[in-house]
Amino acid sequence: MSESTYQSIGSTAPGHYGAAGSAVFLSEATIATAWNVQGDAASSPLRGEVQRIAGIALPDMANTASRSDRVVALWLGPQSWLLVAADAATLGDFNGGREALIAAGGALFDVSASRVAYVVDGPRAVDVLAAGSPLDFDPRLFGAGQCRQSLYGRVPALFYRHGEPPACTMLVARSFARDIWHSLCNAAAPYGYSVRAAATFA
Amino acid sequence: MTQPHRLAAGGIVDRSRTLGFSFDGAAYEGHPGDTLASALLANGVHLIGRSFKYHRPRGIVTAGADEPNALVQLAHGARTEPNTRATQQELYHGLVADSQNRWPSLSFDIGALNDVFSPLFPAGFYYKTFMWPPGPRWWLKYEHAIRRAAGLGRAAREPDPDHYQHRFAHCDVLVIGGGPAGLAAAQAAARCGARVMLCDENATFGGSLRGDATLIDGTPAASWVDAGIGDLAANGDVTLLPRTTAFGYYDQNLIGLVERVADHLAEPPPFTPRQRLWHVRAGTVVLASGALERGIAYAGNDRPGTMLAGAAQAYVTCYGVKPGTRAVIFANNDSAYEAAVRLHDAGVSIAAIADARPEAALSGDHPQRARAAGVAILPGTAIVRAHGGLRVAGVDLASLQGGAARRIDCDLVCVSGGWNPAVHLYSQSRGKLRYDDALATFVPDASPQSIVAAGAANGKIDLSAVLANGHDAGLAAAARSGFAARTAQSAPTTAAVSTGPLQALWSVPSRRSAKCFVDWQNDVTVADIALAAREGYRSVEHLKRYTTLGMGTDQGKTANILGLALLAAELGVSIPQVGTTTFRPPYTPVTMGALAGHEVGATLEPTRYSAMHDWHVEHGARMLNAGLWKRPHSYPRPGESEDDAANREAKNVRSNVGAVDVSTLGKIELQGRDVAEFLNRVYINRWDTLAVGRCRYGVMLRDDGMVFDDGTTSRLSTTHYVMTTTTLNAVNVMQHLEYLLQVEWPELEVFATSVTEQWAGAALAGPKARQVLAALVSIDVSNAAFPFLAVGECELIAGGARIPARLFRMSYSGELAYEIHVPVTHGRAMWEAVMAAGEPFGIMPYGTEAMSTLRIEKGHVVIGPEADGRTTADDLGLGKLVSPAKWCIGKPLLARPALTAPERWQLVGLTAIDGTIPRGGKLVADPGQATPTPMLGHVSSWCWSPNLDASIGLALLERGRARHGDTLWAVSPLADARVRVRVGPPCFIDPEGERLRV
């Protein structure tokens, strides 16, 4: 096979790539704002302030997400969450929010540019995810509304599942974006995949 | 006539299509469904290769993974693959295979002289011969010759053109082996609702039932298999993996599988990996890997045309091939009679069945059927010798009680010494084996992992018992994951067969010089094992290493039990007392490509790119790896060398202004009420005095007092700090801080997060840096408003856009310098704005090489070269930073006598008096001294300083601070260099730091 057949794998331009058929859909989910909330999960002042600032209740359970129509809150650790909003206006003034959370015994970090998000969807999406991640993506065990941190290849990644049947949005550090996009495309090529235009983070 | 030995009907081959292939240059034909071995046998080709040591002609012994002899060099060029088992390689149109280990040809091989002189090559030949004369010098010479003789095939020399994938998977039940037991198990577990994976090394499922007409549940076995596979394929919770070998069993029920996605094709279709490596986490493994037949050692038991009886049966039943025209069967158990009947029914003349057992043992159903078919059965008889050269021509039969031998002509000998459960994976799971006297072999006993052996792998022989055992194993495995049978399920049934007892027979006595092979692949004979025992090798592990029994690509699958039984007999102990050697992964060889997967070449490791990466590349940067990051080394202009470019860039920073991408530096934000206290504890210097809007250089120590990392921390507000770390230590420092906050000092109200990925950074350095910056940012950057070590938040004007930015006045180069940080998404816009604003002032981008030159000129230490894990802050000239007013990590141990000794190596600067300071040179007082010359220190960093026009360096030197002004020698035997150097303070430029503060 000619090299050029493979060279298109990894392109970010919308279109069909790889083997015949479109069993996988790949796209970027744009993030306008991402804030890392830290603090005591049991603190009601902290939860109250997050509710006031972001209009969302922090998820109680490990590895779960909560969402409003504009914000998704992802559980990262026993005292750490990631608030993601697709619209820059949603979360408002960062410095004001930070002062409020400090006053409530917590902290707020602006990490809006830190991560890039890719959506992996389609009938063979699990094959693409499982090509790089040791997690079990069976929707009965890792379904919509859940999130987990693991690796894709050797790169740390945060996986968030949403929709029905659940698609998976993968968040990785931005410096790895090109590498991960290539890995996803390579994993999807045997099944045939379509790159879709970037959409806002769901 | 093509395929003269192909039967008119039967088997899994598709006779309506023909595949052309070649072996040793001769063209043949076969059918889809064939292996290379079955296709060669269909064409009457039995001579496949030459043995490893004696170069004896060898043929096809088995029909599967246990094949010791029929190993071929597959394909040519980049896709060539040595030691391919002909018995497992699927035939494809255009397949090219060649025999191995022969010269000039397979039928006339010069190496066969080894066979003639075999008395000169006993077991342990290497160890006995190449130890003289003593010492390594001669061995190194012998090694070259031995290397040439070693090995069978040849690896490809070209890069592998194929790609390979890895795949993780999880299931409740992994069934290894798709024969009768595995199919029954998979169906039972799947009906319970469990997530099931079923893998089989062959292209089609069914194992021994492939092509078989035995009735199961009232239908012929082959149809029963098809129906069962159809049911499983329709179940969304079942994954079927044909052409997939389970090769390794690891902790927590992690099983490695290799799926040969495209090895049955001349080359993989577009976008298809050649092979896929599966990492399967299984709740429970059902090991239905079947059993491997063993031979019996007698003189000449390796002549081509000699085959295990089960293999001969498989060639007839599964592939529709007659492996010979006139056969002698040699057995000690009933299974060979089934083979005899199948061969007889296929039109192979059965000259005789020699059975080691007495007449009374021959009452089982299969011997009765053979007798009814009119086959001559000779109880208490053995083959004492085989005749023939390139193909067996006949055998001598004699009573085991003694007496005269008589010759029977034949072109096929089928041997069965009994069956060994394929316990390899069970053993890899750390499962214990138990010796079964009735089977005369080891069977699974108990494993600490969740594995259930089933069918022939569990020592079951009769098909009805195999099916029932597989069914039960499937139910038990599903139940372990909490899946109970939904409805009453019964095991598949077939007519039971009565079987007579096996009588263990390992070898037939023969003349001492005759070769009775135990391990066909490694040419280990009965005599070799006896010799090893005489020479004192009592442990089977030592026997293996001494004789090479059980080594090689087949790992002694047909040989091991024979070998240890013979050792037991030599030692006069029982077989269980001898025990088995350790089974290790892989079960069959795994390609390096499959193990590497995607991690080859440019994707060996993940790569991190800064937001300005494309700009650097577009502007001619030569990129280098810094950890996982790509960083610009320098920006050579057309016709300019990299060194010249770096020197130009470094000079421009001191005379005009330069910009360097510092996005890769680790950045950690700290928030909370107790950050100052936290910093006091992790840094050697004081932090409670740092005002808002200021930054400070700090050094962290390890617990043992050695320097761990350095960097700056800036105070953005009363409760908000940002710390920078070195690029390479970014993750380590973050982990260190998180550990301290979570484990050591949870009472501190401090929260940390890494913002390395949030901020792109540019350092702007040089006397004209302020003029560039003034046009770029929204705040007053005059010396009064924004002095050295100030920090502030501002906006950077890039074109029409206003980008939120953090501005730091800090310097690594020693010049007036700033760092600008903007969110990564604005990194390139910021960089382009900086370059545009700097153009009137002669700005140049500079890379890591110029950055390194500038810091050496300034005497700044780097983690690694100077802070090499053995240096304290005082060694590096930073002792005065250690605050006497407070405790910090590592401080208590700084008082150890060895860390305050006057003869410690201390940081100094070196200037070459003549020549160039050698890379990594050692410092000596007199290079003419007899070796070993006392070493006073070593050069840690070195460069050509374009600003001083000199070769300079930093060094760690014994009592270094007391030697300023001394002349020493920097020597490097590797570079054959000795250069006189003058010792001085480490800072070469602006020691008072005036340039920083202008």
Side-chain angles (χ1 to χ4, degrees):
Chain A
M1 186 176 356
S2 70
E3 275 300 307
S4 61
T5 316
Y6 280 115
Q7 270 169 6
S8 62
I9 303 298
S11 166
T12 54
H16 175 268
Y17 301 92
S22 268
V24 180
F25 304 102
L26 300 177
S27 57
E28 183 182 347
T30 54
I31 296 172
T33 311
W35 289 352
N36 175 212
V37 175
Q38 292 194 28
D40 180 1
S43 157
S44 42
L46 180 85
R47 290 177 166 273
E49 282 302 326
V50 172
Q51 182 75 52
R52 187 181 65 78
I53 298 161
I56 194 161
L58 292 174
D60 294 313
M61 293 267 295
N63 290 331
T64 63
S66 58
R67 60 183 302 165
S68 68
D69 47 349
R70 295 174 307 150
V71 183
V72 178
L74 301 160
W75 187 94
L76 297 179
Q79 56 166 10
S80 186
W81 300 265
L82 186 67
L83 308 182
V84 184
D87 179 357
T90 303
L91 289 175
D93 171 43
F94 170 76
N95 283 324
R98 198 190 73 79
E99 294 298 336
L101 285 191
I102 290 277
L108 184 66
F109 300 92
D110 185 0
V111 289
S112 300
S114 289
R115 292 178 178 86
V116 65
Y118 294 125
V119 183
V120 184
D121 201 357
R124 300 303 292 266
V126 167
D127 294 270
V128 174
L129 294 165
S133 173
L135 291 176
D136 190 344
F137 288 94
D138 187 324
R140 289 165 290 192
L141 301 168
F142 183 7
Q146 293 185 305
C147 60
R148 284 174 196 177
Q149 293 182 83
S150 181
L151 297 173
Y152 195 84
R154 294 207 223 163
V155 177
L158 168 61
F159 300 88
Y160 165 51
R161 304 205 79 178
H162 49 86
E164 194 51 51
C168 187
T169 297
M170 221 172 102
L171 295 96
V172 295
R174 190 170 288 273
S175 67
F176 287 113
R178 283 183 201 192
D179 210 277
I180 287 295
W181 180 257
H182 267 88
S183 297
L184 289 172
C185 293
N186 273 314
Y191 312 109
Y193 70 97
S194 292
V195 173
R196 290 172 166 169
T200 53
F201 191 92
Chain B
M1 180 182 167
T2 65
Q3 306 188 52
H5 300 271
R6 180 76 68 183
L7 294 167
I12 61 166
V13 293
D14 175 5
R15 289 176 178 77
S16 68
R17 286 165 57 209
T18 298
L19 304 174
F21 71 99
S22 81
F23 177 66
D24 273 349
Y28 300 101
E29 286 180 345
H31 297 301
D34 263 326
T35 62
L36 175 57
S38 69
L40 286 167
L41 290 174
N43 288 283
V45 179
H46 279 255
L47 176 62
I48 307 295
R50 288 278 174 169
S51 72
F52 180 63
K53 185 171 170 187
Y54 300 129
H55 288 247
R56 285 168 69 101
R58 290 285 165 82
I60 295 161
V61 177
T62 74
D66 43 348
E67 179 57 40
N69 284 342
L71 307 177
V72 299
Q73 183 87 32
L74 189 73
H76 292 154
R79 285 199 166 88
T80 194
E81 181 111 338
N83 303 328
T84 304
R85 288 176 301 286
T87 51
Q88 290 201 294
Q89 175 60 47
E90 283 179 63
L91 196 67
Y92 55 80
H93 189 68
L95 180 149
V96 176
D98 291 293
S99 57
Q100 302 181 150
N101 209 36
R102 81 289 187 270
W103 185 85
S105 76
L106 182 53
S107 52
F108 179 77
D109 175 20
I110 295 288
L113 283 169
N114 282 5
D115 195 24
V116 179
F117 295 110
S118 61
L120 301 177
F121 305 113
F125 167 70
Y126 284 6
Y127 311 121
K128 289 166 180 165
T129 308
F130 298 116
M131 60 188 290
W132 303 106
R137 261 183 57 208
W138 281 91
W139 169 251
L140 291 173
K141 289 190 199 305
Y142 296 139
E143 205 182 6
H144 291 288
I146 294 167
R147 282 256 166 265
R148 268 199 295 281
L152 291 169
R154 291 280 172 266
R157 291 180 171 274
E158 298 90 335
D160 190 339
D162 294 321
H163 71 279
Y164 301 79
Q165 270 193 345
H166 282 206
R167 174 73 155 80
F168 295 89
H170 302 257
C171 62
D172 300 308
V173 180
L174 169 65
V175 182
I176 297 172
L183 274 174
Q187 292 186 62
R191 284 189 197 126
C192 295
R195 290 192 297 168
V196 174
M197 294 180 74
L198 172 62
C199 68
D200 191 279
E201 60 187 356
N202 296 305
T204 50
F205 290 96
S208 59
L209 301 180
R210 288 174 301 160
D212 193 43
T214 307
L215 294 181
I216 299 177
D217 287 345
T219 53
S223 312
W224 178 81
V225 170
D226 290 345
I229 290 297
D231 283 350
L232 291 169
N235 183 332
D237 279 325
V238 174
T239 306
L240 293 175
L241 292 171
R243 300 188 171 106
T244 302
T245 301
F247 67 84
Y249 203 121
Y250 306 93
D251 284 348
Q252 275 80 44
N253 263 27
L254 175 69
I255 294 91
L257 316 178
V258 168
E259 180 188 5
R260 288 174 294 279
V261 183
D263 279 359
H264 60 296
L265 305 167
E267 66 178 75
F271 309 110
T272 305
R274 179 188 161 203
Q275 297 180 342
R276 188 177 282 126
L277 185 80
W278 291 73
H279 309 242
V280 180
R281 255 329 143 180
T284 298
V285 168
V286 174
L287 185 69
S289 47
L292 303 172
E293 202 166 17
R294 57 182 185 250
I296 299 170
Y298 60 85
N301 63 334
D302 64 328
R303 292 297 171 205
T306 306
M307 200 176 269
L308 293 169
Q313 179 179 334
Y315 286 115
V316 170
T317 310
C318 180
Y319 301 105
V321 170
K322 281 196 291 184
T325 54
R326 185 175 156 87
V328 170
I329 316 275
F330 180 24
N332 65 350
N333 68 92
D334 275 13
S335 71
Y337 288 84
E338 189 182 3
V341 171
R342 301 278 176 116
L343 288 164
H344 174 81
D345 292 349
V348 178
S349 162
I350 308 296
I353 300 180
D355 196 320
R357 298 175 293 175
E359 175 67 42
L362 309 184
S363 59
D365 288 347
H366 286 305
Q368 295 302 336
R369 280 173 206 157
R371 209 183 293 275
V375 173
I377 298 173
L378 307 172
T381 305
I383 297 178
V384 292
R385 187 182 170 203
H387 299 280
L390 300 180
R391 175 89 186 256
V392 66
V395 293
D396 290 346
L397 298 180
S399 167
L400 278 167
Q401 312 303 321
R406 70 178 168 114
R407 175 172 171 147
I408 295 183
D409 288 342
C410 62
D411 62 358
L412 176 67
V413 178
C414 302
V415 184
S416 179
W419 293 81
N420 304 320
V423 294
H424 307 69
L425 292 166
Y426 197 87
S427 195
Q428 288 178 27
S429 81
R430 290 179 284 125
K432 295 237 181 319
L433 305 177
R434 169 177 64 78
Y435 189 76
D436 184 309
D437 281 315
L439 299 171
T441 191
F442 289 91
V443 296
D445 187 12
S447 171
Q449 301 210 50
S450 190
I451 178 171
V452 184
N458 196 29
K460 307 294 176 193
I461 293 173
D462 177 40
L463 180 59
S464 63
V466 164
L467 290 166
N469 191 226
H471 177 79
D472 292 346
L475 290 180
R480 287 194 194 179
S481 290
F483 294 93
R486 288 170 176 171
T487 54
Q489 287 191 32
S490 54
T493 55
T494 187
V497 173
S498 89
T499 306
L502 169 145
Q503 176 182 308
L505 176 68
W506 312 106
S507 69
V508 179
S510 67
R511 286 184 296 118
R512 218 180 132 192
S513 63
K515 290 198 183 69
C516 307
F517 286 95
V518 176
D519 184 325
W520 282 296
Q521 188 168 101
N522 296 295
D523 280 350
V524 179
T525 64
V526 173
D528 289 330
I529 290 170
L531 177 66
R534 285 202 303 280
E535 292 182 352
Y537 290 88
R538 306 183 67 82
S539 153
V540 65
E541 295 284 1
H542 291 157
L543 175 80
K544 172 176 177 171
R545 283 150 187 79
Y546 192 56
T547 62
T548 69
L549 171 81
M551 296 189 179
T553 66
D554 69 335
Q555 290 286 293
K557 288 185 179 61
T558 54
N560 284 337
I561 296 275
L562 238 64
L564 59 95
L566 292 166
L567 178 65
E570 290 289 336
L571 300 176
V573 299
S574 72
I575 292 172
Q577 274 178 285
V578 169
T580 62
T581 53
T582 309
F583 294 102
R584 298 189 190 88
Y587 174 65
T588 48
V590 178
T591 57
M592 297 300 282
L595 294 174
H598 191 54
E599 291 175 355
V600 291
T603 50
L604 180 65
E605 288 188 303
T607 306
R608 304 177 75 176
Y609 298 98
S610 101
M612 290 84 96
H613 177 83
D614 289 349
W615 190 97
H616 301 318
V617 173
E618 288 160 20
H619 290 77
R622 214 260 301 162
M623 305 303 289
L624 57 73
N625 296 332
L628 299 179
W629 290 96
K630 293 280 180 202
R631 299 193 74 178
H633 169 276
S634 54
Y635 302 78
R637 291 171 173 170
E640 190 180 36
S641 74
E642 289 170 6
D643 283 349
D644 289 346
N647 288 337
R648 166 178 55 74
E649 293 162 12
K651 208 162 179 168
N652 190 59
V653 169
R654 299 234 184 270
S655 53
N656 292 309
V657 59
V660 62
D661 184 352
V662 292
S663 303
T664 61
L665 288 180
K667 295 175 278 287
I668 296 167
E669 272 192 38
L670 299 162
Q671 293 187 29
R673 297 190 183 110
D674 299 325
V675 177
E677 171 60 20
F678 180 59
L679 295 174
N680 265 349
R681 296 183 190 183
V682 298
Y683 277 131
I684 58 175
N685 42 342
R686 268 187 83 164
W687 291 84
D688 49 339
T689 53
L690 184 73
V692 172
R694 301 289 295 166
C695 57
R696 184 170 285 173
Y697 174 77
V699 174
M700 292 182 199
L701 306 182
R702 303 190 311 212
D703 288 321
D704 64 359
M706 301 302 167
V707 171
F708 167 46
D709 201 63
D710 70 345
T712 61
T713 293
S714 309
R715 191 169 192 180
L716 300 175
S717 80
T718 50
T719 54
H720 192 183
Y721 293 71
V722 58
M723 173 186 285
T724 63
T725 73
T726 56
T727 298
L728 296 180
N729 257 343
V731 173
N732 296 337
V733 171
M734 183 69 198
Q735 285 175 348
H736 176 62
L737 300 185
E738 286 193 319
Y739 167 80
L740 294 171
L741 289 172
Q742 289 176 23
V743 179
E744 299 288 353
W745 309 315
E747 72 281 5
L748 291 184
E749 195 178 290
V750 176
F751 301 96
T753 209
S754 167
V755 292
T756 305
E757 296 281 350
Q758 169 71 16
W759 300 95
L764 189 62
K768 297 175 184 169
R770 183 178 294 123
Q771 289 160 274
V772 177
L773 196 64
L776 276 172
V777 294
S778 58
I779 57 171
D780 179 2
V781 291
S782 67
N783 204 25
F786 203 76
F788 183 55
L789 295 178
V791 60
E793 291 176 294
C794 64
E795 284 180 325
L796 182 124
I797 297 113
R802 298 173 78 85
I803 302 168
R806 289 176 179 169
L807 188 63
F808 307 80
R809 185 166 167 193
M810 53 177 83
S811 177
Y812 192 50
S813 56
E815 297 300 320
L816 168 66
Y818 302 86
E819 269 189 36
I820 310 161
H821 291 187
V822 297
V824 167
T825 39
H826 298 292
R828 177 154 181 166
M830 174 271 286
W831 182 264
E832 287 179 344
V834 167
M835 297 312 293
E839 202 183 347
F841 304 99
I843 196 168
M844 290 178 193
Y846 65 101
T848 53
E849 189 62 20
M851 189 172 77
S852 175
T853 297
L854 293 165
R855 73 97 189 164
I856 293 171
E857 288 176 345
K858 189 64 188 169
H860 285 314
V861 297
V862 165
I863 306 300
E866 283 82 31
D868 61 4
R870 300 175 294 180
T871 44
T872 65
D874 185 62
D875 296 339
L876 299 175
L878 301 167
K880 61 182 181 301
L881 284 183
V882 181
S883 168
K886 67 172 186 73
W887 177 92
C888 75
I889 287 177
K891 188 177 174 188
L893 290 186
L894 286 179
R896 281 183 287 167
L899 298 198
T900 55
E903 65 272 18
R904 284 195 68 76
W905 290 12
Q906 295 163 335
L907 184 75
V908 295
L910 301 178
T911 308
I913 294 170
D914 41 36
T916 304
I917 296 176
R919 148 188 307 251
K922 78 173 187 177
L923 296 173
V924 299
D926 174 8
Q929 268 182 290
T931 54
T933 321
M935 182 171 173
L936 301 174
H938 70 86
V939 180
S940 56
S941 298
W942 57 96
C943 69
W944 174 259
S945 165
N947 295 299
L948 301 166
D949 240 359
S951 169
I952 62 169
L954 300 177
L956 292 163
L957 176 63
E958 185 185 300
R959 301 173 197 266
R961 285 198 287 271
R963 291 186 194 262
H964 289 181
D966 287 5
T967 298
L968 295 172
W969 291 80
V971 300
S972 168
L974 287 175
D976 195 20
R978 44 171 72 177
V979 174
R980 277 199 306 154
V981 293
R982 182 167 300 115
V983 179
C987 182
F988 295 86
I989 290 205
D990 186 26
E992 304 307 318
E994 286 163 2
R995 297 189 191 198
L996 303 170
R997 296 182 171 81
V998 291

